[in-house]
Amino acid sequence: MTSTDTSAVAGGDSLTPRVTGTVRVVGAGLLGASVGHALRARGVDVVLEDASPSQLRLAIDYGAGRAATPDDQPTLIVVAVPPDVVADVVERELRAFPGAVVTDVASVKLEPLQELRGRGVDLTHYIGSHPLAGRERGGAISARGDLFIGSPWVVCRDGKTPASDLALVEALALDLGATPIEMTPEDHDRSVALVSHVPQLVASLLAGRFTNAPDGSLRLAGQGVRDTTRIAASAPELWVQILSANAAPVVDILDALSRDLAAVAEALRAPDAPGARREIADTIRRGNEGVERLPGKHGQNRRFASLVVMVDDTAGQLGRLFGDLGALAVNVEDFRLEHSPGAPFGLAEIAVAPSVLRDAIAGLEERGWKIASTTND
């Protein structure tokens, strides 16, 4: 199934779109082209525009939409451009298409809104929004029609927003398989500072320590450090814009984090001092509590048991494992594969409902699988 085919089920079993009419997407990069792929799979007419002719042609060649024409009359415009030009493009689109609803998908909401208000732009038909989805690699070539499935899509309306306009932006999110969540721009920016922007900085700072590390040290790296630093591969140019636009909330969290780091460092300087071990233990415990608060599958707070299965590094083994789990009627709630450096096998960590853990272990062992470990929270 191609990415466009996958997006056909984004909003449910029916292909009938909630969004009708022409959708104009300005910015044919990862997010914009992904919007195009998902909507086109539902039969929506998608018009693409981009400041880069080569990016535009590439997105069209991949099937994300068609080129704009002078006769286009879009009902909805999705602005998917870098944060530093969002206000300029939103203003231009509102003036060019006064009958359309305009939304943007930038990861910072307050700064462009304040900029537009300062210019005196009529924002009646503008609704800022933000899908919390993405990939480490950008551009039209990385776009996927299923990119937004299961992701939150923040919608920032105000008291002057017409109900029909709000419904249209929420329909867009639903057609793409996302979950609309209403927030104020202020709450949004504080929230993404905590769950997105600061984690990016932390991952980048940690990964930066690898630059001059001995090769022998890096050969010891396992899945934990790879998980922790995965997002460090993100594009610096984009993140300079994002972090600059949301600097104040990010700084508040960094200041608090720096105090936490200083307290742990002080405890480790003299681990036998009174209270030092408690400080270290409390730090790990608070991390446990924080992880417990993160929503799980489908945004639920439900917790799962897990089992780790040794999988030979040969063709067809993962398929056989999932086939055996299916035969045992075990639903896989989550999955992660860790490769063992220098060894011809991997470790498949499988999350399952606690009620089926015992039967899953017994059934897999009967079929010849070796269980490396289990947990049941």
Side-chain angles (χ1 to χ4, degrees):
M1 181 178 283
T2 65
S3 62
T4 302
D5 295 331
T6 302
S7 67
V9 296
D13 295 334
S14 173
L15 292 178
T16 303
R18 299 171 178 83
V19 175
T20 58
T22 296
V23 175
R24 174 178 166 87
V25 179
V26 184
L30 172 64
L31 293 183
S34 294
V35 169
H37 283 300
L39 290 178
R40 288 202 68 211
R42 289 182 166 272
V44 176
D45 179 34
V46 178
V47 172
L48 298 178
E49 184 64 72
D50 197 284
S52 168
S54 61
Q55 179 87 311
L56 177 61
R57 286 194 295 269
L58 186 62
I60 292 172
D61 285 349
Y62 272 98
R66 62 175 176 83
T69 69
D71 298 329
D72 292 329
Q73 293 297 322
T75 58
L76 176 65
I77 299 171
V78 180
V79 174
V81 298
D84 62 346
V85 294
V86 166
D88 294 336
V89 176
V90 167
E91 180 179 10
R92 184 192 74 196
E93 296 298 311
L94 285 169
R95 297 191 191 283
F97 302 97
V101 176
V102 178
T103 189
D104 75 281
V105 295
S107 60
V108 177
K109 304 278 40 115
L110 187 58
E111 185 179 75
L113 178 62
Q114 291 176 331
E115 177 67 22
L116 289 164
R117 285 173 174 169
R119 298 178 187 181
V121 178
D122 182 359
L123 300 178
T124 302
H125 297 297
Y126 165 68
I127 304 175
S129 68
H130 177 212
L132 279 86
R135 304 180 69 186
E136 288 74 47
R137 296 181 180 179
I141 195 171
S142 300
R144 300 171 47 144
D146 61 356
L147 183 68
F148 308 102
I149 294 177
S151 298
W153 190 301
V154 177
V155 180
C156 299
R157 67 158 176 172
D158 60 30
K160 298 180 181 179
T161 301
S164 58
D165 291 5
L166 176 65
L168 185 56
V169 174
E170 292 185 341
L172 170 70
L174 292 169
D175 275 349
L176 270 56
T179 303
I181 299 174
E182 289 190 28
M183 300 181 77
T184 67
E186 294 83 356
D187 286 344
H188 167 274
D189 286 4
R190 285 192 294 267
S191 297
V192 294
L194 178 63
V195 302
S196 176
H197 300 171
V198 169
Q200 173 64 52
L201 283 172
V202 171
S204 296
L205 289 167
L206 178 58
R209 306 306 302 173
F210 304 158
T211 305
N212 298 316
D215 290 343
S217 297
L218 298 182
R219 281 198 293 269
L220 302 180
Q223 195 63 34
V225 73
R226 296 180 193 279
D227 289 345
T228 306
T229 59
R230 177 181 58 83
I231 57 175
S234 300
E237 300 84 1
L238 176 61
W239 275 99
V240 167
Q241 295 184 36
I242 293 172
L243 293 167
S244 299
N246 201 29
V250 169
V251 168
D252 288 344
I253 298 169
L254 287 176
D255 285 345
L257 187 60
S258 67
R259 292 191 292 269
D260 292 340
L261 288 170
V264 174
E266 188 64 28
L268 288 171
R269 284 189 181 95
D272 291 328
R277 283 182 167 79
R278 177 173 179 174
E279 177 66 37
I280 298 166
D282 284 348
T283 297
I284 303 301
R285 178 183 53 78
R286 285 193 297 270
N288 296 161
E289 293 172 353
V291 167
E292 286 295 317
R293 292 200 62 201
L294 291 175
K297 183 179 177 183
H298 307 313
Q300 300 173 356
N301 287 323
R302 180 184 174 195
R303 298 297 158 187
F304 300 108
S306 68
L307 62 154
V308 178
V309 183
M310 296 180 63
V311 181
D312 289 339
D313 189 12
T314 56
Q317 290 302 300
L318 280 177
R320 185 169 74 87
L321 174 59
F322 279 101
D324 286 346
L325 288 166
L328 293 167
V330 174
N331 186 46
V332 176
E333 305 290 350
D334 202 354
F335 175 83
R336 183 176 66 176
L337 181 64
E338 178 178 348
H339 297 282
S340 181
F345 63 87
L347 298 174
E349 182 177 351
I350 302 164
V352 300
S355 59
V356 304
L357 178 62
R358 186 183 299 274
D359 290 342
I361 294 170
L364 289 176
E365 288 179 336
E366 287 176 2
R367 287 163 170 80
W369 295 99
K370 184 174 181 180
I371 309 300
S373 64
T374 64
T375 61
N376 191 346
D377 297 332

